[in-house]
Amino acid sequence: MIRKMDDSVSVAPQITPEDVADIAAAGFVAIVNNRPDGEDPGQPEGAAVRAAAEAAGLAYTEIPVTQAGFSHPQIDAMVQALEEAGGPVLAFCRSGTRSCNLWALAQAKQGRDPDVLIAKGREAGYDLNGLRPLLEALSGKA
């Protein structure tokens, strides 16, 4: 269920602590959790995923995105997490959509072309067209 966005970031639906060893074996060096705890009954707590990630030698960052949408601090935190990772990152949420969206927003904020980001999203199975105005504004290509 892992979908590659580019050479440095892939996204996935909910992972479990038991998935972390396979994630590390696949070459990822960091995990970004875009789910708030308690969003769904039965989802693993972020602390459990963090413990598994750290035990496997992976960096772990929580940037929860709720139904309220995306904020500049979340986008900045994603930029920072990706820059500090020093290798491939796996970001996850319930379906992978919020992680894909936050990746695209972070990339746009760094000046990446919205058309390229939308195309990469489409290739991975995500529709980023609804974010186009924000992607253009963040990238300075509006």
Side-chain angles (χ1 to χ4, degrees):
M1 299 288 285
I2 294 175
R3 299 177 184 190
K4 185 175 181 177
M5 304 311 303
D6 62 21
D7 289 339
S8 62
V9 179
S10 294
V11 301
Q14 178 69 58
I15 65 169
T16 67
E18 294 76 25
D19 296 326
V20 172
D22 290 337
I23 292 166
F28 292 98
V29 300
I31 294 173
V32 175
N33 178 357
N34 297 129
R35 281 195 89 175
D37 278 342
E39 185 175 52
D40 281 330
Q43 89 183 60
E45 293 292 317
V49 178
R50 174 187 294 278
E54 291 174 352
L58 302 179
Y60 179 88
T61 304
E62 290 181 3
I63 309 170
V65 177
T66 66
Q67 299 301 328
F70 300 93
S71 67
H72 283 283
Q74 290 167 318
I75 297 167
D76 292 340
M78 188 67 156
V79 168
Q80 181 177 352
L82 299 178
E83 286 177 349
E84 291 177 356
V89 174
L90 179 68
F92 77 92
C93 60
R94 180 179 13 207
S95 68
T97 301
R98 283 175 282 182
S99 295
C100 173
N101 291 351
L102 191 54
W103 162 82
L105 294 168
Q107 293 295 299
K109 190 159 188 176
Q110 294 180 299
R112 295 279 310 271
D113 186 325
D115 290 330
V116 171
L117 297 172
I118 289 169
K120 286 185 177 288
R122 184 174 41 257
E123 290 168 13
Y126 298 102
D127 182 0
L128 294 171
N129 283 304
L131 289 179
R132 181 177 287 281
L134 188 51
L135 294 170
E136 289 175 349
L138 286 169
S139 70
K141 297 182 174 26

